[in-house]
Amino acid sequence: MTDKIDVPAKHWDRLFAPSSCLAMITTVDGGGVVNAASYGTCVRVAHEPVHVAFTTSPGKDTYNNILLNGEFVINLAPFDPLVLGQVRVVGLPFAPGVDELAKAGLTALAARVLRPPRIAECPRHFECRVVWTREWIDRVMIVGEVVAASVDADAIHPDGTVIWEKVRPAHYCGAPYNNQFVAAFQTFSADMPYDGPEVQKFEDDRIAMLKE
């Protein structure tokens, strides 16, 4: 298993890229029993401090555990056939108290700050404390502030940007597509086809977000 390293707070925003990713989220119940569940859309919603959001359903173990102790760990899954199969297993509706990580053959790794574990097979991890939740329709949105982040030691540049071919982010295509996933790590630098003053304002704002 690849060694993990802690990432300083100034680089957390860079580590969560692209801004929406497939994730396996771990929580713990009142007795310390670990729950893991898969989520197709986990989104970075604030840059400084870094906040991440996802949606789930009321009554799910993930939501119940978060209401209980306000902690969750986001583990960003790579575009790897073995791990994507494990993502599918973790997404099954197991009964409360069942160890989804064991069912999927995944490895629990102690988190750096919080109680829910990291998942060793995922290259990136974001430990979050809940800021707010909101129920609507038949869903609930959960927003958490990142309090610690870690990454595979060989998957990050010294400036905190990710090495794409190492982290290999993925997206789930959705229920209508059954078991299909897409890779999200082919990058392209697009030229700006507009030269108005807004371009410089955009660039100034972008630079201002960087901490070094």
Side-chain angles (χ1 to χ4, degrees):
M1 197 66 65
T2 304
D3 290 337
K4 307 285 184 180
I5 59 172
D6 295 336
V7 178
K10 65 182 180 180
H11 290 161
W12 292 350
D13 189 47
R14 305 176 188 191
L15 185 64
F16 201 108
S19 56
S20 174
C21 294
L22 172 69
M24 289 183 281
I25 295 179
T26 51
T27 58
V28 295
D29 68 15
V33 175
V34 174
N35 175 264
S38 300
Y39 291 93
T41 305
C42 193
V43 184
R44 185 188 67 233
V45 292
H47 296 283
E48 176 54 35
V50 177
H51 286 65
V52 183
F54 71 100
T55 62
T56 186
S57 298
K60 293 287 188 180
D61 291 343
T62 297
Y63 186 37
N64 292 339
N65 292 346
I66 283 174
L67 288 178
L68 186 66
N69 55 50
E71 297 181 353
F72 61 97
V73 175
I74 295 169
N75 304 274
L76 299 183
F79 191 78
D80 173 274
L82 175 61
V83 178
L84 294 178
Q86 293 169 314
V87 166
R88 296 195 67 205
V89 174
V90 168
L92 294 174
F94 292 107
V98 172
D99 186 343
E100 290 89 357
L101 298 182
K103 291 288 188 181
L106 291 163
T107 309
L109 179 67
R112 300 297 295 155
V113 175
L114 303 182
R115 287 180 294 170
R118 296 173 289 177
I119 298 175
E121 287 78 5
C122 295
R124 293 177 289 171
H125 318 274
F126 298 84
E127 302 175 32
C128 301
R129 288 197 175 99
V130 174
V131 176
W132 57 261
T133 67
R134 180 178 178 181
E135 294 188 25
W136 89 107
I137 317 176
D138 60 348
R139 300 292 286 173
V140 57
M141 176 168 280
I142 298 165
V143 176
E145 180 177 352
V146 177
V147 297
S150 51
V151 64
D152 285 358
D154 63 353
I156 189 170
H157 293 292
D159 68 353
T161 55
V162 299
I163 300 174
W164 292 108
E165 60 269 24
K166 293 291 186 179
V167 297
R168 295 168 294 157
H171 287 300
Y172 175 50
C173 295
Y177 296 88
N178 190 16
N179 61 347
Q180 293 184 7
F181 298 83
V182 295
F185 53 93
Q186 181 177 359
T187 62
F188 172 76
S189 297
D191 292 333
M192 174 61 72
Y194 175 75
D195 61 0
E198 297 84 359
V199 175
Q200 188 59 53
K201 174 63 166 60
F202 176 88
E203 186 64 13
D204 291 344
D205 291 344
R206 186 187 70 83
I207 296 298
M209 287 194 304
L210 305 180
K211 293 191 174 182
E212 65 175 35

